[in-house]
């Protein structure tokens, strides 16, 4: 990259110096000419300036480095009739107008003017070598075939030098001349036709009558520009005016067009996805109007920093920034910049709002060759950055592997739960719970296990994280409840009644379906409601307490117990404990594991036990794996224990044998 910059600077510097010298020569030569310049010259010179208030040609995919202003036709007519000096002066003035009209940067504007000046100098050299005398034609004189043939050699030279310089600069920057040439064919063709048709006609019509040629050309050009503007509007989304999916696809196609797999390889393009997490909360709490104002303001900030044609939005709270020719480190720096741009409060109706931005980066072509894949991988990087509390992160391939792994889990488990697969890898195991004071079993927890035909046993954490946000979770809950209650009924008939705890997900608690599932299971199996306990996690409690509270009360109204799992991990408050109709709490294994050696854990468990007993709740300690831990916990009255010390999760037949060795199960009354 540094070498390319050095080479580019040298080439551009040489071009600028050459063009500057030629312009100085042309000004000196033209100064004497202007004192008695004919009216025909002034007419064409004026129309050249007017013509460049609009832009001729210019495929939107093509860089301004090769775009040709309409004034070139008029300057070439001046070149044919009065020589290179006045043509260079007029072209310089008109091209400066064109650069302003196209909103080019000063550097790009200087390059546009320089390449046109050098092109006219090269055309003059060709004319001198081939024709030997000047001018090519006289103003107002009709052209014959010989005159037209005289136009062609200097015109070809002008086209080759003008466009060749543009391609050279682009090729140096992109390290690929073939890629630099892609997309300029339309510009070359339209410019050649205009020069060959318009310039000779301008030389045959005297004075201001030349405007009769210009007017239809300008009208046609305006029609083409309107068409381009219409297409551009279709590539913008309405709320922010940023590029939509169509616009981003077009932009990616423009940036990657002509890429080859040569020594330099395809062009590197960074896709930065910035997620404004807090905007969705604003939408939920304050309405769509404030949300859209907030998103529009965020988009305007990004557009100001990165450019109108670099930033897009696909809907929602995500922005896409497309940045070509960056290294991985530079891409991460730009992603960090995007986050810092959005971090200051956005004011809507005088009220400050934070957007909580996080960014992810995917690089073309390493991380994908199509827009959907690139944005998807950038979103995975956003999630990775959010989990790590970082501003920005680069896509890591294992994130994609994890996403695909979860999709495969969803698809295969869905097939099994809906009966579309003949495999039966899903099972429910049961882990015993014992009264620590007496050692008697008092219940079991139903734990789902799934053995995939290819991967083998799927870790429970992977299984739940993959399906908890989909409807598959509800199907799984229905299956586990059905199997657990059916097994309870079988144990009742065998004379070994017990209590079973079943875990449910956060999404199960947000609907009215779970109480219906439980009601149907009780009616079908004829078990007693107090034999069943539903476990919910503290994390689920804080997400939507009013909705979960309704579901919880509907569950306990059936006579079923309600247990709060992972108690003490820091989510639940006393207020939440008071508002939920709990019958049991389960102290998290994080406190249980080191109760023997850690006085802080001892104090926490003692406090949680006292609080629970004061609320009339049964207390279960999870994760007991040794006798010392069990002995320490047994000193707390009424404590129930669960862990590998007493038994691992077992299939029903093995659990029945385990229970017979211990004299059966004692069902404690619900708290």
């Amino acid at each position: 990259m540094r070498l390319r910059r050095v080479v580019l600077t040298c080439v551009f510097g040489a071009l600028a110096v050459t063009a500057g010298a030629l312009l100085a020569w042309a000004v000196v030569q033209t100064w004497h000419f202007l004192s008695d310049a004919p009216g025909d010259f002034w007419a064409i010179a004026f129309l050249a300036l007017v013509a460049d208030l609009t832009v001729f040609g210019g495929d939107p995919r093509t860089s301004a480095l090769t775009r040709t202003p309409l004034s070139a036709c008029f300057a070439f007519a001046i070149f044919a009739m009065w020589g290179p000096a006045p043509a260079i002066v007029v072209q310089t003035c008109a091209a400066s107008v064109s650069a302003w009209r196209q909103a080019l940067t000063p550097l790009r504007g200087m390059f546009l003017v320089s390449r046109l000046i050098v092109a006219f100098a090269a055309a003059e050299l060709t004319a001198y070598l081939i024709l030997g005398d000047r001018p090519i034609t006289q103003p107002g004189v009709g052209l014959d075939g010989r005159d037209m043939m005289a136009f062609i050699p200097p015109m070809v030279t002008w086209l080759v030098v003008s466009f060749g310089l543009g391609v050279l600069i682009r090729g140096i920057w992109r390290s690929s001349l073939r890629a630099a040439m892609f997309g300029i064919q339309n510009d070359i063709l339209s410019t050649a036709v205009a020069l060959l048709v318009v310039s000779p006609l301008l030389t045959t019509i005297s004075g201001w009558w030349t405007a009769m040629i210009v007017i239809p050309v300008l009208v046609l050009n305006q029609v083409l520009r309107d068409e381009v503007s219409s297409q551009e509007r279709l590539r913008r989304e309405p709320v922010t005016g940023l590029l939509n999916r169509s616009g981003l696809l077009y932009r990616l196609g423009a940036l990657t067009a002509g890429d080859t797999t040569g020594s330099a390889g395809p062009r590197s393009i960074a896709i930065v996805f910035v997620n404004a997490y807090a905007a969705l909360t604003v939408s939920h709490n304050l309405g769509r109007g404030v949300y859209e104002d907030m998103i529009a303001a965020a988009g305007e900030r990004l557009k100001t920093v990165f450019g109108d044609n670099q930033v897009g939005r696909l809907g929602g709270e995500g922005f896409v920034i497309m940045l070509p020719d960056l290294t991985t480190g530079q891409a991460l720096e730009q992603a960090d910049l995007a986050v810092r741009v959005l971090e200051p409060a956005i004011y809507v109706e005088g009220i400050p709002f934070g957007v909580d931005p996080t960014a992810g980066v995917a690089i073309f072509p390493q991380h994908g060759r199509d827009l959907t894949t690139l944005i998807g991988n950038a979103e995975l990087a956003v999630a990775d950055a959010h989990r790590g509390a970082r501003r920005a992160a680069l896509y890591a391939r294992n994130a994609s592997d994890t996403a695909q792994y979860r999709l495969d889990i969803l698809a295969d488990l869905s097939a099994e739960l809906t009966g579309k697969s003949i495999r039966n890898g899903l099972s429910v195991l049961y882990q015993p719970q014992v009264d620590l004071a007496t050692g008697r079993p008092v219940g079991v927890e139903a734990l789902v296990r799934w053995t995939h035909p290819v991967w083998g046993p799927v870790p429970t954490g992977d299984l739940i994280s993959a399906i908890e946000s989909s409807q598959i979770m509800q199907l799984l809950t229905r299956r586990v409840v059905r199997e657990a209650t059916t097994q309870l009924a079988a144990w009742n008939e065998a004379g070994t009644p017990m209590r079973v705890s079943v875990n449910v997900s956060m999404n199960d608690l947000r609907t009215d379906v779970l109480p219906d599932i439980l009601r149907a299971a009780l009616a079908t199996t004829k078990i007693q409601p107090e034999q069943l306990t539903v476990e919910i996690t503290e994390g689920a409690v804080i997400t939507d307490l009013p909705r979960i509270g309704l579901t919880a009360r509907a569950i306990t109204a059936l006579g079923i117990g309600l247990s709060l799992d992972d108690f003490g991990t820091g989510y639940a408050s006393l207020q939440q404990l008071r508002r939920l109709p709990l019958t049991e709490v389960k102290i998290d294994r994080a406190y249980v594991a080191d109760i023997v050696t850690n006085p802080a854990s001892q104090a926490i468990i003692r406090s949680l036990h006292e609080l629970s007993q004061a609320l009339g709740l049964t207390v279960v300690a999870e994760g007991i794996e040794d006798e010392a831990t069990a002995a320490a916990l047994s000193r707390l009255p009424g404590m129930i224990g669960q862990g590998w010390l007493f038994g691992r999760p077992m299939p029903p037949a093995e659990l029945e044998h385990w229970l017979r060795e211990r004299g059966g199960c004692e069902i404690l009354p619900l708290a």
Side-chain angles (χ1 to χ4, degrees):
M1 177 66 75
R2 182 173 298 176
L3 178 61
R4 274 187 287 169
R5 288 183 181 274
V6 171
V7 173
L8 195 62
T9 301
C10 293
V11 172
F12 187 83
L15 177 64
V17 169
T18 303
L22 289 170
L23 179 59
W25 168 83
V27 169
V28 171
Q29 295 295 317
T30 307
W31 185 260
H32 302 290
F33 168 77
L34 292 179
S35 60
D36 57 349
D40 293 337
F41 169 80
W42 291 111
I44 296 175
F46 174 78
L47 291 173
L49 295 174
V50 172
D52 273 359
L53 291 176
T54 185
V55 179
F56 172 70
D59 183 342
R61 287 177 179 261
T62 306
S63 163
L65 293 175
T66 56
R67 197 168 297 162
T68 303
L70 183 57
S71 60
C73 299
F74 300 88
F76 204 90
I78 293 173
F79 168 82
M81 293 183 288
W82 295 291
I88 287 175
V89 172
V90 170
Q91 182 66 91
T92 299
C93 295
S96 300
V97 172
S98 178
W100 165 76
R101 184 66 181 82
Q102 296 181 67
L104 301 184
T105 63
L107 196 62
R108 285 178 177 265
M110 187 182 301
F111 176 76
L112 171 65
V113 173
S114 297
R115 71 181 178 87
L116 294 176
I117 291 174
V118 173
F120 274 113
E124 171 62 15
L125 179 61
T126 302
Y128 176 78
L129 293 175
I130 294 177
L131 301 177
D133 58 350
R134 298 283 292 144
I136 296 175
T137 186
Q138 298 290 333
V141 177
L143 297 173
D144 56 21
R146 189 172 184 179
D147 294 329
M148 286 299 296
M149 292 302 295
F151 264 95
I152 293 177
M155 187 182 299
V156 170
T157 301
W158 188 95
L159 288 168
V160 170
V161 173
S162 175
F163 283 94
L165 287 170
V167 169
L168 177 63
I169 294 297
R170 292 175 68 188
I172 293 172
W173 179 250
R174 296 179 60 173
S175 299
S176 171
L177 286 176
R178 182 178 298 181
M181 292 175 65
F182 186 89
I184 69 170
Q185 295 90 336
N186 290 341
D187 275 344
I188 295 175
L189 180 61
S190 59
T191 303
V193 171
L195 288 176
L196 191 60
V197 174
V198 177
S199 296
L201 284 175
L202 288 171
T203 67
T204 63
I205 301 175
S206 299
W208 291 98
W209 287 104
T210 53
M212 298 302 294
I213 297 175
V214 177
I215 290 173
V217 173
L218 292 179
V219 170
L220 177 60
N221 197 42
Q222 186 60 44
V223 170
L224 294 175
R225 290 183 68 245
D226 289 343
E227 176 65 21
V228 170
S229 297
S230 176
Q231 291 296 322
E232 181 67 14
R233 284 193 296 273
L234 293 176
R235 299 187 184 106
R236 302 278 171 177
E237 65 97 24
V239 174
T240 62
L242 301 176
L243 296 172
N244 57 19
R245 180 173 290 276
S246 176
L248 289 168
L249 283 169
Y250 196 82
R251 172 72 173 156
L252 183 63
L255 292 173
T256 60
D259 273 339
T260 65
T261 56
S263 59
R267 188 178 191 182
S268 175
I269 301 169
I271 302 296
V272 179
F273 189 90
V274 187
N275 200 353
Y277 282 99
L280 186 60
T281 304
V282 171
S283 177
H284 289 163
N285 295 335
L286 300 176
R288 193 72 182 178
V290 176
Y291 165 81
E292 290 188 349
D293 289 344
M294 186 175 173
I295 289 294
E300 189 63 32
R301 284 188 186 179
L302 293 174
K303 185 165 60 175
T304 300
V305 173
F306 294 99
D308 188 42
N309 287 321
Q310 304 275 72
V311 185
R313 176 175 174 250
L314 302 181
E317 298 71 55
F319 297 93
V320 178
I321 308 171
M322 198 172 291
L323 302 170
D325 306 314
L326 297 182
T327 64
T328 298
Q330 290 170 334
L332 281 170
E333 288 174 2
Q334 293 300 302
D336 185 82
L337 172 61
V339 172
R340 284 189 280 112
V341 165
L342 294 182
E343 278 182 332
I346 290 176
Y347 285 82
V348 178
E349 298 181 5
I351 303 171
F353 294 96
V355 299
D356 188 21
T358 306
V361 179
I363 308 293
F364 172 94
Q366 298 97 303
H367 302 148
R369 288 182 172 269
D370 62 273
L371 185 67
T372 300
T373 301
L374 288 165
I375 292 177
N377 288 339
E379 287 190 84
L380 289 173
V382 170
D384 188 34
H386 196 66
R387 283 192 297 269
R390 291 173 289 169
R391 276 198 175 101
L394 181 68
Y395 162 73
R397 193 166 299 278
N398 64 345
S400 177
D401 295 340
T402 300
Q404 187 59 50
Y405 173 56
R406 290 179 176 179
L407 286 173
D408 291 342
I409 287 177
L410 275 172
D412 293 341
L413 185 58
S414 174
E416 185 160 328
L417 290 171
T418 55
K420 297 177 182 178
S421 171
I422 61 174
R423 300 190 298 263
N424 187 22
L426 197 68
S427 61
V428 178
L429 304 182
Y430 300 89
Q431 186 173 33
Q433 299 173 339
V434 302
D435 186 333
L436 293 179
T438 64
R440 288 289 304 275
V442 294
V444 294
E445 180 181 0
L447 299 169
V448 65
R449 296 291 185 265
W450 185 41
T451 301
H452 192 274
V454 176
W455 307 320
V458 177
T460 304
D462 292 354
L463 179 65
I464 299 304
S465 63
I467 69 173
E468 65 180 345
S469 59
S470 74
Q471 292 298 314
I472 306 301
M473 188 71 234
Q474 192 176 103
L475 293 176
L476 181 61
T477 299
R478 191 183 297 271
R479 168 74 71 86
V480 172
V481 168
R482 184 175 71 244
E483 291 202 12
T485 53
T486 300
Q487 185 59 57
L488 266 177
W491 282 329
N492 285 346
E493 291 182 7
T496 55
M498 65 185 73
R499 177 181 294 141
V500 174
S501 296
V502 177
N503 292 278
V504 297
S505 76
M506 179 170 58
N507 287 337
D508 291 323
L509 297 167
R510 286 175 168 169
T511 70
D512 298 327
V513 176
L514 182 59
D516 294 336
I517 292 173
L518 296 170
R519 188 179 296 107
L522 293 176
T524 301
T525 60
K526 308 301 182 183
I527 64 171
Q528 298 300 310
E530 59 268 20
Q531 289 185 272
L532 191 62
T533 296
V534 170
E535 290 191 16
I536 63 177
T537 64
E538 281 194 304
V541 170
I542 66 167
T543 58
D544 190 358
L545 184 59
R547 173 69 264 179
I548 290 173
L550 290 174
T551 304
R553 284 187 285 275
I555 291 172
T556 54
L558 297 173
I560 296 172
L562 187 67
S563 176
L564 183 63
D565 200 5
D566 301 331
F567 186 54
T569 53
Y571 294 108
S573 68
L574 297 180
Q575 176 71 359
Q576 290 162 347
L577 290 178
R578 187 179 66 84
R579 293 176 61 183
L580 289 173
L582 298 171
T583 59
E584 176 184 281
V585 293
K586 300 184 75 173
I587 298 176
D588 189 78
R589 66 181 64 245
Y591 300 113
V592 173
D594 62 350
I595 186 175
V596 176
T597 59
N598 191 336
S601 293
Q602 296 170 10
I604 290 172
I605 289 180
R606 204 162 39 243
S607 298
L608 293 176
H609 177 266
E610 292 174 0
L611 172 63
S612 300
Q613 286 214 318
L615 294 172
L617 306 177
T618 300
V619 186
V620 179
E622 296 184 287
I624 300 176
E625 298 183 4
D626 56 73
E627 294 287 355
T629 300
L633 290 168
S634 66
R635 300 187 186 98
L636 301 174
M639 180 69 78
I640 307 300
Q642 179 179 341
W644 285 7
L645 174 64
F646 310 111
R648 300 192 179 201
M650 300 173 253
E654 185 179 338
L655 178 68
E656 291 165 10
H657 176 73
W658 185 90
L659 287 171
R660 281 194 297 271
E661 289 181 342
R662 288 160 179 77
C665 185
E666 177 186 2
I667 301 181
L668 299 177
L670 290 176

